[in-house]
Amino acid sequence: YPDNIFEHLSRALTYLGKPSSIYIIALLMIGFYILLLTMKVDPWLSFAGAIAFGFSAFFIISLAAGHNAKVRAAAYIPMVVAGVLMTYRGKKLLGFALTALFMGLAIAANHFQITYYLGFIILSIIVAQLVLAIRERTIPEFMKASFILLAAALIGIGPNIGNLWSTISYTKETMRGGSSELSTKADSEGGLDFEYAMSWSYGKAETMTLFIPNFMGGGAKQSYEGTKTYELFEQTLSAQGMPRQRVQEAANQYSGSYLYWGDQSLVNGGYYVGASLVFLFVFGLFILRGRMLYWIIPAALLSLFMAWGKNLEWFNSILFEYLPLFNKFRVPSMALVILFFLIPFTGMMAVKKLVDGEVSKEELRKRLLHSLYFTGGLALFVALLGPAFFDMDGLRDPQLAQNGFDTNLLLDDRASLMRNSAFRTLFFVGLAFGICWFYLQGKIPRKFFPLALAVLFAADLWTFDKDQLGKDEFISEREYDQNYAPSPADQIILKDDDIHYRVYNTTAGLTSDSYTSYFHKSIGGYHGAKLIRYQDLIENQLSKGNPKVYDMLNAKWFILQDKQGGLTAQPNFNALGNAWFVDSLIWVPDADSEMEALSEFSPSSEAVVDLRYEEYLQGLASGSSQSSILLQSYDPKEMIYKADVKGGDQLAVFSEIYYEGHGEDWKAYIDGKHVPHIRVNYLLRGLRIPPGQHEVIFRFEPYTYLVGEKIDLAFSSLFVLAFIGGIFGHYRKSKKEGAQG
């Protein structure tokens, strides 16, 4: 979307001189630093807060998993909140400019679920401000600030209209927002199935991992050396002749999957926000008053309730049923991003109270002790009595026991992990308390206090983060490049000079394979928002190994495992190519019949067609073996064919996905004239071509994009003018007030 100014600004913000994703962590820190400065926090304390926010396990684990867009979108949360709070505090012009800028960047980051959760933070602020305005009888001022923020949001959203509009259009044909025509999915009314959407729900007890990281056993990446479970797997794998380095890696992976006893199938790591920061957060709840807590507490509770997903079914089923867009998202635990913002923010605002002298030392000491009793007492309770108090049976334990695995060994290790993690938490709570207490006592000089907090946050978070990432995440550029070296199978396939074909990697899952797409157009692969018709085909045909369907998808090569355990490539001589003419039609009345017909038909000579297209195909001639159609050039957005049709009008089937989008986003042209085309074989394209030699073109011309780009350009121009006006107006107003003062 080249006419969206925020895409260009985003690239400018993320350029570090070479391709890298580490800038995202820096962006997290910069955004939080800016927020704290706008809240009049000391710059060095703001630096300590930036360390706390940037090294949160939620972001580090997400980055390690490749969820760059998620982390990038989260990096703009503090900056948007800064703009909103500034507007309500009276700095309307500057708040307007910042809100418009960072709201636009947040949407351009293209992770709408995270930006959706940002909306709950903003909503909490607005409701809190409304309550205060009613109480203080300042409704006109509240309305003025709110309308300014509404204008800022619209100007920030405007340049993203092209992307948003196209995404909405696409969503209607996907498993996120579309409805399958198959009777087996008749209950689908658009959006995800509730059970599927809630499959990564955070357990209520699992919330303790924010404070005690190994409360639930741990994650898939960390080291479990020293546990009995690890030792068992290490001995077993070593006995099988596995190399030492691989033994350690595999033993840790197996240990992580066995020792985790939470509600999710597996986690990469506990979402640890930091014991020291939870202590300061609780201190903030004790010491902060009124205006700020009015929005922090509701937003924090919303975050927890949504993250619990199916574990708080009555609440989330209401949101799922009635809240716009809520049923388009999965992984409820992602809602914890709200808490991962609120906890360090509240903690640093509490530290500001500690140093600005507004609260008496006696009151501060009392509240620090209360915070210590609450957080330290909780950690001590878990360390001493947690293993006896909590039922640590995992979801897989009964199955493991049936297979002869000693689950008592798992229970012992889980208890040990919980206990050791709780003592670690108690240690960092004690350090946080001690630093704040000795500062109040005058034992730590003011200039060293921010440094002490920064070191504490880094020690608390990075020691945990590094363990979650694992040693294998820290590799040289050479090792990184080796991950993308072509396999022997890839090398064979890449010698094929055909301009367009597909590859099926039989050694990887149809819905989880990613590496194949690095070199080839893959039949499989993961996508969280697959086209619903392709998902139907996967479930009903591809997963059952129907060779005819692979043929019609032009799967020209199969990647197989050879006898030595390596990869080799095998050509599929039955692949039908890019397009072909059919001799006869199989008419079907509905989607169920269409899907069923794919199990028995001959794709090279027959096409399965829904009766809704009967009028389009009236008078169609029988196929001629002398007719031909060949792909001349391939571009993902344009395909040009040469057709030579003998006899009467004939139906050509194209091995390309039929996609309507807004209406007819893929357009067909015969000799430059736009003509309609239909869907055949459940998801392929069919085109009626008259006799003679013709140039046939399929061109991707989505209305939402073409018109959306014009809207993007108009709003981008408006944003530039509004942003400059807001900054200039704020500067002139500040200068005027300074002169009067």
Side-chain angles (χ1 to χ4, degrees):
Y1 298 90
D3 291 330
N4 179 359
I5 188 173
F6 293 118
E7 289 203 358
H8 301 286
L9 291 174
S10 180
R11 278 192 289 271
L13 284 171
T14 57
Y15 182 70
L16 289 180
K18 62 182 297 186
S20 173
S21 59
I22 198 65
Y23 71 85
I24 300 176
I25 303 302
L27 195 61
L28 285 164
M29 296 181 182
I30 292 169
F32 202 76
Y33 181 78
I34 291 172
L35 169 63
L36 293 181
L37 289 182
T38 64
M39 299 302 294
K40 299 181 180 179
V41 177
D42 173 84
W44 287 107
L45 284 175
S46 298
F47 169 78
I51 295 291
F53 184 66
F55 282 146
S56 288
F58 182 89
F59 304 127
I60 299 297
I61 291 172
S62 297
L63 185 66
H67 298 166
N68 293 19
K70 180 206 297 187
V71 184
R72 189 183 303 113
Y76 295 119
I77 290 177
M79 306 185 204
V80 175
V81 171
V84 172
L85 293 177
M86 289 181 73
T87 304
Y88 280 120
R89 292 205 314 270
K91 294 184 177 181
K92 296 183 178 63
L93 291 174
L94 183 58
F96 164 82
L98 291 179
T99 303
L101 171 62
F102 294 116
M103 179 61 75
L105 286 168
I107 296 172
N110 215 35
H111 198 291
F112 302 134
Q113 187 169 357
I114 292 295
T115 306
Y116 189 79
Y117 293 138
L118 166 60
F120 286 101
I121 300 176
I122 296 173
L123 179 63
S124 298
I125 294 173
I126 292 172
V127 172
Q129 291 294 330
L130 175 60
V131 171
L132 290 167
I134 293 172
R135 178 185 296 178
E136 298 170 1
R137 299 181 180 180
T138 56
I139 292 292
E141 191 67 16
F142 165 79
M143 295 300 295
K144 183 179 179 181
S146 297
F147 277 117
I148 288 173
L149 287 173
L150 178 61
L154 292 175
I155 290 174
I157 293 170
N160 291 287
I161 288 293
N163 184 24
L164 292 171
W165 193 7
S166 294
T167 300
I168 291 170
S169 175
Y170 171 75
T171 300
K172 293 175 182 177
E173 297 204 32
T174 71
M175 55 192 291
R176 288 294 179 102
S179 298
S180 172
E181 293 185 24
L182 296 176
S183 61
T184 54
K185 297 182 178 180
D187 295 335
S188 172
E189 298 180 356
L192 298 173
D193 172 79
F194 182 80
E195 286 300 317
Y196 178 75
M198 299 291 151
S199 58
W200 293 93
S201 300
Y202 224 61
K204 293 178 182 177
E206 195 168 3
T207 309
M208 286 291 292
T209 60
L210 298 173
F211 184 50
I212 301 172
N214 287 340
F215 181 86
M216 283 284 174
K221 289 284 188 179
Q222 67 193 64
S223 172
Y224 292 94
E225 293 185 37
T227 64
K228 298 175 184 177
T229 304
Y230 175 87
E231 291 173 357
L232 176 63
F233 283 121
E234 183 184 39
Q235 292 171 5
T236 303
L237 295 171
S238 296
Q240 295 175 358
M242 187 179 289
R244 176 61 183 168
Q245 184 176 352
R246 177 61 186 141
V247 165
Q248 293 176 336
E249 181 182 340
N252 280 319
Q253 289 176 349
Y254 285 127
S255 298
S257 65
Y258 279 50
L259 290 173
Y260 173 73
W261 54 278
D263 292 338
Q264 302 175 83
S265 58
L266 182 63
V267 293
N268 281 335
Y271 282 158
Y272 178 59
V273 73
S276 52
L277 285 160
V278 171
F279 168 80
L280 292 176
F281 173 72
V282 173
F283 177 51
L285 297 181
F286 281 130
I287 205 69
L288 300 176
R289 293 289 183 269
R291 186 176 300 270
M292 194 168 291
L293 291 184
Y294 284 166
W295 64 268
I296 288 176
I297 293 176
L301 291 175
L302 268 175
S303 176
L304 280 178
F305 290 173
M306 289 187 292
W308 287 340
K310 63 184 179 184
N311 298 311
L312 195 65
E313 186 170 343
W314 68 267
F315 178 81
N316 285 289
S317 61
I318 294 173
L319 298 186
F320 193 84
E321 188 71 26
Y322 299 108
L323 195 65
L325 300 179
F326 194 84
N327 67 349
K328 305 296 187 290
F329 303 126
R330 60 189 291 263
V331 190
S333 60
M334 209 180 296
L336 290 173
V337 70
I338 298 174
L339 265 183
F340 272 79
F341 163 73
L342 291 176
I343 289 176
F345 174 73
T346 307
M348 293 313 298
M349 296 312 297
V351 171
K352 179 179 181 295
K353 286 282 187 183
L354 192 70
V355 301
D356 63 12
E358 294 179 7
V359 182
S360 67
K361 288 188 176 181
E362 182 180 352
E363 178 70 9
L364 290 169
R365 291 191 189 99
K366 184 193 303 183
R367 298 307 182 189
L368 281 173
L369 285 170
H370 288 166
S371 304
L372 175 66
Y373 299 153
F374 182 83
T375 56
L378 180 59
L380 187 60
F381 170 81
V382 173
L384 299 179
L385 300 176
F389 187 83
F390 294 98
D391 177 8
M392 293 186 293
D393 291 328
L395 297 175
R396 299 174 55 193
D397 286 6
Q399 180 184 353
L400 294 174
Q402 288 181 357
N403 294 334
F405 195 93
D406 183 5
T407 54
N408 289 325
L409 181 144
L410 294 178
L411 293 174
D412 289 344
D413 281 342
R414 287 168 184 163
S416 178
L417 286 168
M418 177 187 286
R419 191 176 297 110
N420 293 338
S421 190
F423 276 123
R424 178 192 184 278
T425 288
L426 182 62
F427 172 74
F428 279 105
V429 165
L431 284 179
F433 169 79
I435 289 172
C436 294
W437 184 267
F438 285 120
Y439 169 75
L440 276 180
Q441 298 293 101
K443 304 294 185 181
I444 298 179
R446 173 68 180 82
K447 61 182 179 180
F448 292 128
F449 181 56
L451 177 61
L453 286 178
V455 171
L456 172 65
F457 297 152
D460 187 1
L461 291 167
W462 182 241
T463 52
F464 176 77
D465 293 339
K466 189 174 181 180
D467 195 32
Q468 299 307 302
L469 291 173
K471 294 178 181 178
D472 58 323
E473 302 288 347
F474 297 89
I475 59 176
S476 67
E477 189 171 350
R478 180 180 59 81
E479 290 173 309
Y480 177 82
D481 291 337
Q482 284 178 350
N483 288 324
Y484 299 96
S487 69
D490 295 325
Q491 292 172 356
I492 293 171
I493 298 172
L494 290 172
K495 292 177 181 178
D496 192 329
D497 57 4
D498 195 346
I499 60 174
H500 179 39
Y501 56 88
R502 298 190 182 91
V503 175
Y504 173 42
N505 188 345
T506 66
T507 68
L510 272 168
T511 58
S512 59
D513 177 27
S514 59
Y515 279 93
T516 306
S517 296
Y518 188 79
F519 292 106
H520 317 292
K521 303 181 187 79
S522 176
I523 290 291
Y526 172 79
H527 198 295
K530 288 190 293 294
L531 289 169
I532 192 77
R533 284 192 173 273
Y534 200 76
Q535 179 65 21
D536 289 346
L537 197 75
I538 288 174
E539 294 173 1
N540 293 277
Q541 298 294 343
L542 295 177
S543 63
K544 297 176 181 178
N546 184 349
K548 300 171 184 178
V549 174
Y550 285 99
D551 295 343
M552 79 178 194
L553 293 177
N554 195 22
K556 189 178 179 182
W557 289 93
F558 289 172
I559 295 178
L560 308 168
Q561 192 170 54
D562 60 26
K563 295 179 179 179
Q564 289 73 40
L567 298 179
T568 187
Q570 176 179 299
N572 175 21
F573 296 109
N574 294 318
L576 294 176
N578 307 117
W580 59 94
F581 289 105
V582 293
D583 300 329
S584 59
L585 307 178
I586 302 175
W587 293 101
V588 292
D590 52 41
D592 290 344
S593 302
E594 191 172 3
M595 181 63 75
E596 185 179 352
L598 296 183
S599 301
E600 301 296 335
F601 83 133
S602 175
S604 62
S605 59
E606 297 174 324
V608 182
V609 188
D610 193 294
L611 280 171
R612 75 186 73 176
Y613 301 115
E614 188 174 15
E615 184 179 347
Y616 176 85
L617 294 174
Q618 282 183 354
L620 193 72
S622 298
S624 170
S625 60
Q626 296 179 338
S627 298
S628 63
I629 182 166
L630 295 173
L631 180 66
Q632 301 295 302
S633 68
Y634 172 83
D635 180 288
K637 293 176 288 186
E638 182 180 77
M639 297 151 202
I640 302 176
Y641 304 81
K642 289 294 182 183
D644 186 3
V645 180
K646 307 295 184 182
D649 290 7
Q650 293 185 32
L651 179 67
V653 175
F654 297 82
S655 185
E656 302 296 337
I657 302 300
Y658 178 85
Y659 175 78
E660 289 187 359
H662 182 74
E664 190 189 22
D665 286 357
W666 273 101
K667 290 184 170 60
Y669 297 89
I670 297 179
D671 298 330
K673 181 182 178 181
H674 173 237
V675 293
H677 67 286
I678 64 171
R679 177 177 52 76
V680 300
N681 296 357
Y682 199 78
L683 48 52
L684 297 185
R685 302 175 198 167
L687 180 66
R688 180 173 184 154
I689 304 178
Q693 295 184 349
H694 305 283
E695 180 183 67
V696 177
I697 298 177
F698 273 100
R699 189 176 294 131
F700 191 53
E701 297 176 331
Y703 179 83
T704 55
Y705 175 82
L706 298 175
V707 177
E709 272 290 84
K710 297 176 182 177
I711 298 173
D712 288 355
L713 181 60
F715 269 102
S716 292
S717 302
L718 179 61
F719 165 77
V720 171
L721 294 175
F723 182 79
I724 293 174
I727 296 295
F728 179 75
H730 171 76
Y731 173 76
R732 189 170 67 173
K733 183 180 178 182
S734 299
K735 190 174 181 181
K736 183 178 179 180
E737 290 174 351
Q740 291 176 348

